[in-house]
Amino acid sequence: MLRILLTIVLPLAFWVWAFVDCLTTPEDEVKHLPKVVWVLIVLLFPPLGPIAWLIAGKQRGFLRAATPDGHPGHPAADGPGRAPGRGGRPLAPDDDPEFLASLKRNDKDHEDMLKQWEADLRRREQELRDRDEPGDGRRS
């Protein structure tokens, strides 16, 4: 049983992992060869291809390109909701400063609209009172 695990299952799992890792790695993180060539190497040379990919194919850890602020990590991604140094992955909404700022803007817009509605409601109520009570608008 242990022989089967060591000779078949573990190498197969390692080969599948290396293949999936190679396919899902962004093009800008692949080193030395184009990504298509790495995929072919991993597929066609099962014991050596995954090992080569692991050692020389992908930028890992602190070997990644520096961010614009000079810290190691992924280069900053373009667009809102992307974090420099986090692999260009989207931020959670509560961590994204642009999203939080848009919530504050929306809150301000809603508050202004609510104040306008309240003022309009007061004006209409006053008009109705004035229409119901002739004279100077005071009750006796």
Side-chain angles (χ1 to χ4, degrees):
M1 180 70 173
L2 186 60
R3 280 187 193 156
I4 293 173
L5 180 69
L6 290 176
T7 58
I8 297 173
V9 175
L10 284 178
L12 182 63
F14 179 59
W15 178 78
V16 168
W17 170 81
F19 178 67
V20 170
D21 187 48
C22 187
L23 286 177
T24 59
T25 300
E27 188 75 37
D28 61 336
E29 290 182 23
V30 177
K31 295 190 315 183
H32 304 297
L33 296 172
K35 184 176 174 178
V36 175
V37 175
W38 276 114
V39 170
L40 292 174
I41 289 172
V42 169
L43 276 178
L44 299 177
F45 303 104
L48 298 176
I51 293 171
W53 169 252
L54 181 67
I55 293 171
K58 180 179 179 181
Q59 296 176 352
R60 300 182 191 280
F62 287 105
L63 299 176
R64 293 182 181 140
T67 58
D69 59 0
H71 293 94
H74 291 279
D78 295 335
R82 302 287 179 172
R86 289 198 51 197
R89 289 183 236 149
L91 289 173
D94 58 342
D95 292 336
D96 186 3
E98 291 179 28
F99 178 74
L100 295 175
S102 73
L103 286 180
K104 288 180 184 177
R105 283 191 302 270
N106 287 343
D107 284 347
K108 179 79 170 118
D109 294 342
H110 288 279
E111 285 178 20
D112 292 343
M113 185 174 19
L114 194 60
K115 287 178 185 177
Q116 288 175 351
W117 286 352
E118 288 174 349
D120 188 46
L121 181 62
R122 281 191 218 102
R123 182 186 54 79
R124 289 179 184 198
E125 286 175 344
Q126 188 62 42
E127 287 175 1
L128 286 174
R129 278 192 215 115
D130 290 345
R131 200 178 319 156
D132 289 344
E133 297 176 8
D136 62 354
R138 294 186 190 171
R139 290 185 179 178
S140 18

